[in-house]
Amino acid sequence: MAKRRRTPPLATAIILALLSTPALASSEHIEASRLRFLALGDWGGQDTYPYYTEEQWETAQGMSRVAAAVNNSGADENGSHRPAAEFVVSLGDNFYWNGFQEDVDEEMRFQETFEKVYHQTELQLPWYIIGGNHDYCGNITKQLEFSQNPNTRWTFPDFNHRIVKEFSAYENGPSVKLEIIMIDTIQLAGNICFAPESEFSAANYFDPPPGPATDQVSLEQAATTLDWIANALEESDADYLVVAGHYPIYSACSHGGTPELIKSLDPLLKQYGVTAYISGHEHCQFHFAHENMNYILSGTGHDCCYGSDMKKFLPEGGELKYLLADSTDYSSSSGVRGGFVSFDVTRDEMIVAIHRENGDVLYDTTLLPRDQRLRRREGDDVALEVE
C-alpha cells in the first residue's frame, strides 16, 4: 500500500503566515475586440531525467500552434482573423511527483520541466500559476519565489490571486472586463501525499481530498481563503467572471468530485453568477453544466487519460456536455495523449474550446457574459439569480 501523509503541520503554519491579502497578479487594459488565453493543468513532467513526458512535449507544441496569431494576410480554420493568446492559466500540479523535494535542484527542475518544454515564441506570455496537491507535497513556497526572478513569465505572487483584463475595440470605446480568480483548493479541501512514484501503489490514490486538517492553523487557513474568495466574488463587476482551482468541484473521472468544494465553494459560485469554474487534477477533460453553472476540466497537460468511473455519481439534473476519458485508466482507448483549453472572449460571448495534444479542437461551447444571464433580486444587493 502506498504511504500516505498529510501536508506537515509546520509547512501549513508557514503557508498561513505567508497568506496575506492575495495579490492582484495583473490588471491592464488592452485595445482589441477580442482577448484569447489558454489553460492547462497537471503538466508537471516527472522527477527523473528528462524531467518531462513525451505527451507534455507534444502538448506544448499544440499550445504554441493555438496561441499563435493569424494576421490579416492569413485566416484560421473558420476564415477569420485571430489574435495571439495573451496569457496562460496553469491549474496546478506543476512539478511531479511530489513537488520540490529537499534533495532536488529546484532551478534545474524549473528549467527542464517548464522553461525548456514551453520554449516556443508563442508561449513567451505571462503564466498565471496556482498550486496543486502534488506541489504541496514539496516546497511550494519555492514556486512562489520563482515569481521574483527578473523578466520571468512565471506569475505566482500568492497562493490566491486575481487577474483582471479589460479590452475595447478602440481608444475610449466601451470596454469588456474579464476577471479570473485563482484559488488554492488545497487550502480549502486538504491533501494527502503519497510515496515516490517509483514506490507507488494505486490503493487509496483516487480517494477524494480529506478536507483541511483539524489543527487550528489549517482550519484558520481554510476559513481565511474561503472568506477572501467570497469577498472577491462579491466585489467583482466583471462581464466574464471565471474561478480557477486545481481540484474539480464535480468530475466524471477516477477521482470524482471534491466533497469539501461541493459544500463550501459551489454555493458561492452560483450565488455570484460565475461564468465558469475551471480545474485540473483529473487526467481527463470535460464540460459539465449544473444549475446554471459551467464546470470545465482539463488535467491532461502531461498525459491522458483516466477512466470515467465516477460519471454515475454526477448530480442529477446536470448535463454532461462533453467527456474525454479512456475506458479504464490509461488504456489509450481515446487515442488522445494530452490536451489543454482555449478561451476566446468578445463583448457578446466566450468561446471555450477543448484541444487534444496537437491543438486540434475536440469540443467547443459558447458561454454568455454575466449581464445577459443574471439580474439582481429586488431589494437584495448581493444575491444573483439566473433568468
Side-chain angles (χ1 to χ4, degrees):
M1 177 176 292
K3 300 175 184 177
R4 306 171 65 186
R5 61 181 176 87
R6 289 181 182 268
T7 303
L10 178 59
T12 302
I14 293 171
I15 289 166
L16 182 56
L18 291 170
L19 184 60
S20 59
T21 301
L24 180 63
S26 174
S27 180
E28 64 177 333
H29 188 281
I30 302 165
E31 192 169 316
S33 60
R34 297 161 66 180
L35 185 149
R36 298 179 61 244
F37 67 97
L38 309 183
L40 82 162
D42 304 73
W43 52 266
Q46 59 190 31
D47 57 8
T48 56
Y49 182 84
Y51 305 105
Y52 61 85
T53 66
E54 290 182 4
E55 297 90 339
Q56 181 192 358
W57 187 271
E58 293 169 17
T59 301
Q61 308 304 310
M63 290 174 64
S64 67
R65 173 188 163 201
V66 173
V70 176
N71 60 32
N72 292 330
S73 63
D76 65 14
E77 60 271 18
N78 298 317
S80 59
H81 171 71
R82 185 181 75 188
E86 292 284 341
F87 58 91
V88 178
V89 171
S90 170
L91 297 167
D93 281 359
N94 310 317
F95 298 96
Y96 285 109
W97 173 252
N98 278 331
F100 289 150
Q101 294 293 301
E102 291 182 0
D103 59 348
V104 169
D105 181 337
E106 295 104 336
E107 180 63 36
M108 179 276 295
R109 274 302 307 271
F110 185 78
Q111 292 295 324
E112 299 296 328
T113 301
F114 176 62
E115 294 285 10
K116 291 185 180 180
V117 176
Y118 306 101
H119 63 85
Q120 300 82 359
T121 300
E122 296 84 0
L123 299 181
Q124 300 306 305
L125 311 167
W127 283 58
Y128 298 109
I129 312 296
I130 49 177
N133 56 303
H134 287 267
D135 300 309
Y136 261 85
C137 295
N139 181 5
I140 191 169
T141 58
K142 183 63 181 179
Q143 293 193 34
L144 275 72
E145 290 173 10
F146 278 118
S147 288
Q148 301 169 15
N149 292 346
N151 303 316
T152 185
R153 53 185 164 154
W154 182 268
T155 310
F156 196 179
D158 212 329
F159 299 102
N160 302 275
H161 54 99
R162 296 164 48 237
I163 308 162
V164 178
K165 307 285 186 182
E166 290 191 71
F167 61 96
S168 55
Y170 51 89
E171 188 176 0
N172 299 321
S175 64
V176 178
K177 181 182 286 189
L178 165 71
E179 180 169 359
I180 305 174
I181 301 175
M182 306 282 285
I183 69 170
D184 191 319
T185 56
I186 287 75
Q187 293 177 352
L188 292 177
N191 188 31
I192 292 177
C193 297
F194 288 80
E197 193 167 14
S198 59
E199 306 170 21
F200 175 69
S201 165
N204 307 116
Y205 181 71
F206 291 109
D207 288 355
T214 56
D215 63 278
Q216 190 63 30
V217 169
S218 297
L219 293 174
E220 289 178 2
Q221 180 187 68
T224 299
T225 297
L226 191 64
D227 285 347
W228 178 80
I229 294 169
N231 289 336
L233 291 170
E234 181 177 356
E235 292 172 3
S236 178
D237 61 354
D239 300 288
Y240 297 94
L241 179 57
V242 175
V243 176
H246 179 65
Y247 289 143
I249 296 175
Y250 299 108
S251 174
C253 300
S254 297
H255 285 289
T258 307
E260 188 68 31
L261 301 186
I262 293 172
K263 177 181 72 174
S264 64
L265 179 63
D266 197 39
L268 287 174
L269 306 187
K270 291 170 178 173
Q271 177 182 356
Y272 291 107
V274 168
T275 309
Y277 177 74
I278 60 176
S279 65
H281 190 53
E282 296 274 43
H283 298 189
C284 63
Q285 295 179 304
F286 93 143
H287 175 200
F288 180 64
H290 180 245
E291 295 181 351
N292 297 295
M293 257 297 297
N294 289 279
Y295 307 87
I296 308 293
L297 188 155
S298 186
T300 53
H302 94 319
D303 63 13
C304 184
C305 290
Y306 286 169
S308 56
D309 308 24
M310 305 301 285
K311 181 167 61 174
K312 59 182 175 291
F313 295 112
L314 290 172
E316 293 183 5
E319 181 181 359
L320 183 57
K321 292 177 175 285
Y322 177 77
L323 173 64
L324 170 71
D326 283 347
S327 54
T328 58
D329 293 340
Y330 296 123
S331 68
S332 301
S333 62
S334 67
V336 174
R337 290 169 55 82
F340 58 97
V341 184
S342 69
F343 297 78
D344 190 343
V345 186
T346 69
R347 181 186 64 183
D348 298 320
E349 63 186 16
M350 172 190 282
I351 299 174
V352 183
I354 292 177
H355 302 263
R356 64 179 298 158
E357 73 281 357
N358 65 1
D360 286 353
V361 175
L362 298 172
Y363 166 82
D364 62 53
T365 190
T366 299
L367 305 181
L368 299 176
R370 298 166 81 205
D371 65 357
Q372 292 187 31
R373 298 190 302 120
L374 307 164
R375 61 182 174 82
R376 290 194 179 273
R377 291 177 183 155
E378 231 174 272
D380 188 342
D381 291 330
V382 176
L384 294 165
E385 67 179 16
V386 176
E387 291 184 325

